[in-house]
Amino acid sequence: MPAAGRRTAVHKKALAAGALAVALITGLAGCSGSDGAATKGVPGGSDATKGVPGGSGTKKGPAAAPQNAVRLIGDGSTAFTGAQPHQPVWQRLKPGETPPQFVVFSWDGAGEDSQKLFSHFRSVGRKYDAAMTYFLSGVYLLPEAKKELYDPPQHSPGRSDIGFNDVDGIRATVRELRAAWQEGNEIGTHFNGHFCGKEGGVGNWSVEEWKSEINQAKSFVKNWKSNAGLRAEQPLPFDYEKELVGARTPCLEGRKNFVQAAAQMGFRYDTSGVNDQIWPKKDLGLWDLSMQLVPVPGRAFQTLAMDYNFLVNQSPGTTQGDPSQHRYWGDQMRDGLVQAFERSYRGNRAPLIIGNHFESWNGGTYMRAIEETIATVCVQKDVKCVSFRQLADWLDAQDPDVIARMRTLKVGEAPQDGWQTFLAAARPPAPAGDPATGVKQAERR
């Protein structure tokens, strides 16, 4: 089956099953069973990376390494090219200083297909000085002809619920990954086969099986030239062993064992949980940068800050809902995200975490909503639209007592006597505990 047709079939199956689990408290959490496998005939994205402002911070990091500093790794699919350009240089908050408002826009299963949404949102990021995180699905760099190289846990070799790619799609995706990194964005992982549910889904995987999945995701990135026969193409300009420090699991399942595996493999954060808009903490040494519950304007419940979750509450069971509702649905998502931003920005300043897919569901409704949200929030004073890795860098640069004190603030709660007084104290009171405890496991798909 062609890649585009395979994606449609997977989406229908995932949406039909997921719609049965929709809960009015949170909506449906997580993501669909397909994340944008590339299709044939894609000419690829732009590789223009010079003079791009990228990132968001107080200062910019070093420029790209000169050409003579490039060191190929393995078969030349990746390379060491020096420190990543356009990275902010963070400083520890001064006593009484108001923290920035961080916003993270991220993309599950990032790949460039005929929709060209990867290249489009790279340009959006440049326009609004927004660095983002692109969670690459490893099988998007593995051609269909070589699918047997993938040996997924609890499945037969060559099995993937999101299919594989073709050579043109791999070439286009690599171009976007290369340029995205050079512009200051982060390349994470959404793993490989995107298996959800009870039968062999990632929620049933052991720690060792997660390690196998992670190592295979790395392998497909480190060997895409050999696997796709594209030896003349330019390498990805990073060492993926060092670049890969965080992930989001398929359908937000399997987090417990994944975090154990990730902690042992040197990851720095995970964004596979469900939480409210509060300041993060560490779990087994990883920053817990979980997905968050946000308002759904006009409805008496919240849902996750993700395009898929708004979709299943608006047009359950289909990605092609009533066209007369498309504008309303897009406005509803945009306004919900902006409301979530405002309650943090004017309240506890907790980072806002937003997840998406490169999909044109409901006529591109959610892509418009995300772009308008970026244009609204990333231009405001003291706002930093950053990647997960950049957020983790800022958190690691802070006094742990200050982070702990900010964790005592509830959703939308501003310090009663202002930030100067609130953060002047050296020692914080004990955290009040984590919200969002009412989210049931069935609601996280």
Side-chain angles (χ1 to χ4, degrees):
M1 182 184 297
R6 184 167 55 238
R7 290 169 55 198
T8 301
V10 171
H11 275 134
K12 287 181 178 178
K13 179 180 178 181
L15 284 165
L20 297 176
V22 176
L24 291 183
I25 295 176
T26 64
L28 191 65
C31 52
S32 70
S34 177
D35 295 307
T39 54
K40 294 183 178 180
V42 181
S46 170
D47 235 350
T49 57
K50 295 183 180 180
V52 177
S56 295
T58 55
K59 299 178 181 178
K60 299 300 180 185
Q67 188 65 30
N68 60 10
V70 174
R71 185 178 73 245
L72 297 179
I73 300 171
D75 71 349
S77 293
T78 59
F80 174 76
T81 59
Q84 185 178 11
H86 308 301
Q87 295 305 295
V89 178
W90 301 125
Q91 304 295 331
R92 177 170 288 198
L93 288 175
K94 300 179 177 65
E97 183 180 359
T98 302
Q101 176 61 58
F102 292 104
V103 185
V104 181
F105 292 92
S106 55
W107 302 91
D108 287 8
E112 178 81 340
D113 63 9
S114 58
Q115 302 172 99
K116 300 184 181 179
L117 289 169
F118 196 158
S119 50
H120 174 74
F121 277 95
R122 275 184 44 235
S123 69
V124 172
R126 293 195 303 271
K127 181 176 181 179
Y128 295 104
D129 196 23
M132 305 183 198
T133 294
Y134 298 98
F135 290 120
L136 171 68
S137 290
V139 292
Y140 291 174
L141 296 187
L142 186 64
E144 181 89 28
K146 296 287 186 71
K147 66 181 183 179
E148 299 297 325
L149 293 176
Y150 178 39
D151 187 10
Q154 301 186 24
H155 294 277
S156 59
R159 167 78 186 278
S160 167
D161 277 1
I162 55 172
F164 296 88
N165 213 332
D166 58 31
V167 172
D168 288 339
I170 293 170
R171 182 185 287 111
T173 294
V174 167
R175 287 198 192 110
E176 297 309 313
L177 293 169
R178 183 189 303 120
W181 187 87
Q182 290 170 331
E183 291 164 358
N185 302 286
E186 177 190 10
I187 311 302
T189 187
H190 201 44
F191 308 101
N192 300 302
H194 207 287
F195 301 107
C196 300
K198 296 180 180 180
E199 299 298 324
V202 299
N204 303 309
W205 290 1
S206 68
V207 173
E208 291 305 312
E209 287 173 328
W210 270 114
K211 288 181 180 179
S212 171
E213 180 77 351
I214 294 168
N215 283 327
Q216 290 188 78
K218 289 181 178 180
S219 175
F220 300 145
V221 175
K222 295 190 291 185
N223 295 284
W224 62 267
K225 280 192 175 186
S226 296
N227 291 337
L230 293 172
R231 295 186 180 276
E233 294 290 319
Q234 296 180 25
L236 291 171
F238 49 78
D239 180 348
Y240 204 47
E241 288 289 343
K242 296 178 180 178
E243 170 68 13
L244 181 56
V245 295
R248 182 176 294 133
T249 63
C251 300
L252 306 188
E253 295 177 355
R255 182 179 184 276
K256 180 180 178 181
N257 284 347
F258 163 67
V259 169
Q260 293 184 55
Q264 296 173 29
M265 297 180 73
F267 279 46
R268 295 180 58 202
Y269 72 84
D270 168 65
T271 178
S272 307
V274 177
N275 208 345
D276 281 334
Q277 287 175 260
I278 58 172
W279 281 92
K281 64 178 180 179
K282 282 191 172 182
D283 182 4
L284 296 181
L286 277 69
W287 284 108
D288 178 0
L289 305 178
S290 289
M291 295 295 300
Q292 297 170 333
L293 300 172
V294 300
V296 181
R299 307 294 295 273
F301 59 88
Q302 297 191 104
T303 191
L304 285 191
M306 180 174 276
D307 48 7
Y308 181 70
N309 302 88
F310 278 86
L311 164 74
V312 297
N313 280 292
Q314 294 167 339
S315 60
T318 180
T319 61
Q320 303 299 321
D322 183 357
S324 70
Q325 295 295 306
H326 287 177
R327 176 152 293 278
Y328 172 75
W329 288 338
D331 291 351
Q332 186 178 53
M333 179 180 177
R334 177 202 63 207
D335 293 347
L337 296 178
V338 172
Q339 286 179 25
F341 165 81
E342 291 289 342
R343 73 181 179 188
S344 274
Y345 186 48
R346 305 186 189 286
N348 63 357
R349 285 287 175 101
L352 174 61
I353 309 300
I354 298 173
N356 310 283
H357 302 79
F358 287 138
E359 296 288 355
S360 295
W361 297 325
N362 283 332
T365 287
Y366 309 105
M367 298 297 91
R368 174 180 66 84
I370 289 298
E371 186 166 347
E372 292 178 359
T373 301
I374 293 171
T376 300
V377 306
C378 293
V379 298
Q380 297 197 40
K381 181 181 178 181
D382 297 330
V383 173
K384 312 290 186 185
C385 290
V386 298
S387 68
F388 280 113
R389 183 173 195 157
Q390 291 168 347
L391 175 57
D393 288 343
W394 185 90
L395 291 166
D396 281 336
Q398 305 310 305
D399 183 338
D401 288 342
V402 169
I403 300 296
R405 185 165 186 81
M406 293 192 294
R407 278 184 50 76
T408 66
L409 296 171
K410 299 177 182 178
V411 176
E413 180 187 4
Q416 186 174 358
D417 297 319
W419 286 102
Q420 186 171 4
T421 300
F422 183 72
L423 291 184
R427 293 286 174 183
D434 291 336
T437 55
V439 179
K440 300 177 182 178
Q441 185 65 31
E443 298 164 356
R444 296 188 177 186
R445 297 196 65 249

